[in-house]
């Protein structure tokens, strides 16, 4: 649906269900430097559960959930695409970006990953909403980078 609006130009896309302090300028520059058709932002989600480390039926250690990060990367939903992405998409309702298109791009060596180690949090559940709302209302929202932006017009409304 957006093809006619971005014809011939690289463009950025986000799912809109997460907040982050991803530096979009760095993401775009990284994408350009790699020369691939698509770049996703790799993030490590915060753990929600404690972890058992076991040897058979014997628990060797128990690690309670913590603000620390694990080692599984996910697509954080901040992406850059070249116009060639449309060669990987179909107009069928069954075309799901995360399935065949991104999988095919990876197989073709055309999917790069911009690694982001800063703040990233999805808002998929009510629990996520409460967490993000608390961060915002207490002035501790790491994604609120515009309040510290010296180029921001101080008279404008948020």
């Amino acid at each position: 649906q957006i093809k006619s609006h971005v014809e011939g130009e690289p463009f950025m896309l986000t799912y809109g269900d997460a907040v982050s302090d991803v530096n979009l300028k760095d993401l775009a520059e990284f994408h350009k430097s790699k020369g691939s058709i698509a770049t996703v932002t790799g993030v490590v989600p915060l753990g929600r559960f404690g972890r058992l480390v076991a040897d058979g039926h014997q628990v060797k250690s128990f690690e309670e959930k913590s603000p620390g990060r694990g080692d599984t990367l996910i697509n954080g939903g901040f992406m850059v695409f070249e116009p060639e992405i449309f060669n990987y998409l179909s107009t069928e309702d069954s075309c799901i970006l995360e399935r065949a298109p991104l999988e095919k791009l990876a197989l073709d060596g055309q999917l790069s990953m911009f690694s982001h180690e800063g703040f990233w949090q999805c808002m998929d559940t009510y629990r996520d909403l409460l967490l993000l709302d608390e961060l915002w209302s207490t002035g501790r929202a790491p994604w609120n980078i515009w309040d510290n932006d010296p180029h921001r017009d101080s008279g404008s409304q948020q």
Side-chain angles (χ1 to χ4, degrees):
Q1 293 177 351
I2 67 165
K3 186 176 182 180
S4 65
H5 300 288
V6 296
E7 195 74 46
E9 297 289 330
F11 62 96
M12 299 183 101
L13 173 90
T14 185
Y15 296 134
D17 64 352
V19 291
S20 180
D21 60 356
V22 171
N23 185 313
L24 299 178
K25 182 179 178 185
D26 289 350
L27 170 59
E29 288 174 1
F30 174 88
H31 171 75
K32 187 175 181 178
S33 75
K34 294 302 173 193
S36 60
I37 293 173
T39 299
V40 297
T41 299
V43 300
V44 180
L46 294 175
R48 287 193 170 165
F49 303 101
R51 179 175 169 226
L52 292 174
V53 178
D55 182 7
H57 295 287
Q58 179 66 46
V59 175
K60 294 296 184 184
S61 66
F62 177 81
E63 301 165 3
E64 184 52 73
K65 63 185 175 187
S66 69
R69 296 181 172 260
D71 58 359
T72 301
L73 290 168
I74 64 168
N75 176 2
F78 295 88
M79 299 164 272
V80 184
F81 295 132
E82 294 297 321
E84 292 83 3
I85 186 68
F86 296 109
N87 298 332
Y88 288 80
L89 303 175
S90 76
T91 58
E92 301 296 320
D93 288 342
S94 61
C95 180
I96 299 172
L97 181 63
E98 299 80 14
R99 302 273 190 224
L102 289 184
E103 291 170 359
K104 177 83 168 105
L105 283 161
L107 288 173
D108 290 350
Q110 290 296 319
L111 183 61
S112 296
M113 184 193 70
F114 177 76
S115 182
H116 177 66
E117 296 178 5
F119 180 82
W120 179 90
Q121 175 64 50
C122 64
M123 190 169 71
D124 293 334
T125 68
Y126 184 64
R127 179 180 175 180
D128 297 333
L129 171 67
L130 292 176
L131 169 68
L132 293 170
D133 188 52
E134 179 183 350
L135 289 172
W136 183 264
S137 63
T138 60
R140 297 180 297 129
W143 67 91
N144 182 1
I145 58 175
W146 52 89
D147 278 349
N148 298 319
D149 184 354
H151 303 290
R152 182 173 177 262
D153 177 8
S154 60
S156 64
Q157 296 293 318
Q158 287 187 13

